Amino acid sequence: MITTERKQNKVSAMHTARIIIKRELKRMIRYKLILSIGLVLPMIAGLIIMFLFNTGIATDLPIAVLDKDRSSLSRQIVRALDASPDLSVAYRVDDLYAARQLLLSGKIYAIVMLPSNLERDSLLGRSPEIVSFYDNQFMTAGSVVSKGINAVIGAVSADINIELATKMGTPRSVAAASLSPIPLDQHILFNPSLNYQYSLLNGIWSALMQIIICVIVTYVIAQERRSLRKKRVFSRLTDSRPFLGLAAKLFPYLVLFSTILAVADMTFLIYLGLPFNGSITLLLIGGLLFMAGYFLYGIIFAYLFKSENALSNASLLTAPAFGFTGVAFPRLAMGVFPQVFGAILPITWYIEIRADQTLRGADLSASLVPLSYLLLLDCVLLLIAFLVIKRKTWQENKFTEQPQKDLAL
């Protein structure tokens, strides 16, 4: 008897789930806003990201040169600056005012000023000073031009020092070794080509998707709860089983966003050449936990707040999230609040998982750390969502039953 009843309940639950899934698919097609944000926007944004990071490495950044010496050495330095892959001597100016105007107008990223008597003082060993000004409000461009200028000037200075030492009778090999008595053997790990695709792509794409996922989930659930009548309709539709109803309602969106993430990853790997050095299984599990976290945030917001406020809170959580993930600014250098806020965001741990599986090729023990944090976060959110739904359902049932008791009296 008990077994038969369980089978009937299982069949009833599956039937209810199919009805809700079909209903939600029809709503997805009928409401253009859902398709626009959930499908069209990720496609357009993905194309923009691909074209934006198509080059991958910032090269030939324009600079201006003010040559006050106009000697063979100064011309050699200008040619070396222009030959650097990081730099392009776009302007040669006659005074600092003209160079400053170019910098303020955004036409160049740096100014290099070669002083008068540069060649004479260099040959006499007087160490003349070459001055550079670079715009560091754009930190990426600023670091690239600074690195390029330092490399060029350092190489030219080394050549001059070696030449002066050889003229004094020092063997060239000894003179070259004396420039760096304690050499540094430096190795760039995980992104040796300094490709911005690899370092930024994981963060920017994940940041975009977490906004879309959280906002869409919050919106579709909040629509079911905009009025008492809609709440009653959804309750009758789910046969007073809110958890089953929510799971069935969100299933089409899980399929949609899983497909988008999978297609995007394939495109990034094949078209942009994003390296993959890890486990596809861990990446897929991380993606599912990432989506689950924002699904749960959307459920919590939709049940705790009215429709407009729910969407506002979803945006408030996700919009600034990228700044707390550690991609643009190191998390270990942040204060306590930014670190805590970043820790409650699924995107923080998902980016770690993506970096482990694409760039770092981390072993299983290292990859399980962010995966465990993400799983723990999802469990906490699931518990909060469960308590919130139970509380709201109890309050709404009590509110519905009270008028019926009053009528009976």
Side-chain angles (χ1 to χ4, degrees), residues 90-269:
Y91 298 92
R92 301 191 185 194
V93 295
D94 297 323
D95 55 67
L96 275 177
Y97 178 79
R100 181 175 181 273
Q101 293 303 113
L102 290 170
L103 190 65
L104 293 177
S105 65
K107 294 181 179 179
I108 59 172
Y109 290 105
I111 304 166
V112 177
M113 185 178 72
L114 307 177
S116 302
N117 303 319
L118 172 65
E119 185 173 42
R120 185 196 68 184
D121 291 345
S122 298
L123 296 177
L124 292 176
R126 294 178 180 173
S127 299
E129 188 177 71
I130 296 175
V131 182
S132 70
F133 309 88
Y134 64 92
D135 184 358
N136 206 36
Q137 65 172 327
F138 305 108
M139 296 181 67
T140 299
S143 63
V144 170
V145 296
S146 175
K147 176 175 69 72
I149 292 170
N150 288 334
V152 169
I153 303 303
V156 172
S157 298
D159 289 341
I160 293 174
N161 288 332
I162 292 173
E163 184 179 345
L164 291 174
T166 54
K167 286 182 179 179
M168 297 175 64
T170 305
R172 192 172 186 85
S173 59
V174 175
S178 66
L179 294 175
S180 181
I182 304 178
L184 173 65
D185 187 13
Q186 193 173 34
H187 300 270
I188 302 176
L189 301 177
F190 312 131
N191 189 8
S193 62
L194 302 179
N195 193 314
Y196 288 95
Q197 284 180 350
Y198 305 160
S199 59
L200 292 178
L201 193 58
N202 286 331
I204 292 177
W205 174 249
S206 302
L208 172 70
M209 286 305 300
Q210 54 109 23
I211 295 174
I212 292 174
I213 292 171
C214 193
V215 169
I216 285 291
V217 171
T218 304
Y219 174 77
V220 297
I221 298 176
Q223 287 298 302
E224 299 283 7
R225 302 182 51 79
R226 289 190 67 177
S227 65
L228 183 60
R229 183 184 64 82
K230 287 191 173 185
K231 293 176 186 177
R232 289 174 177 172
V233 169
F234 189 67
S235 178
R236 286 197 299 269
L237 188 65
T238 60
D239 195 19
S240 299
R241 289 180 283 191
F243 300 103
L244 171 65
L246 286 173
K249 182 177 180 64
L250 295 178
F251 180 75
Y253 299 98
L254 178 65
V255 174
L256 172 64
F257 294 133
S258 298
T259 304
I260 291 173
L261 288 178
V263 171
D265 282 341
M266 290 176 61
T267 305
F268 295 154
L269 292 170

Side-chain angles (χ1 to χ4, degrees), residues 203 206-207 210 290 294 321-322 325 345-352 374:
S206 302
Q210 54 109 23
F290 164 71
Y294 285 107
F322 181 73
T325 59
L345 297 171
I347 184 178
T348 301
W349 310 113
Y350 180 56
I351 289 176
E352 285 284 332
L374 184 53

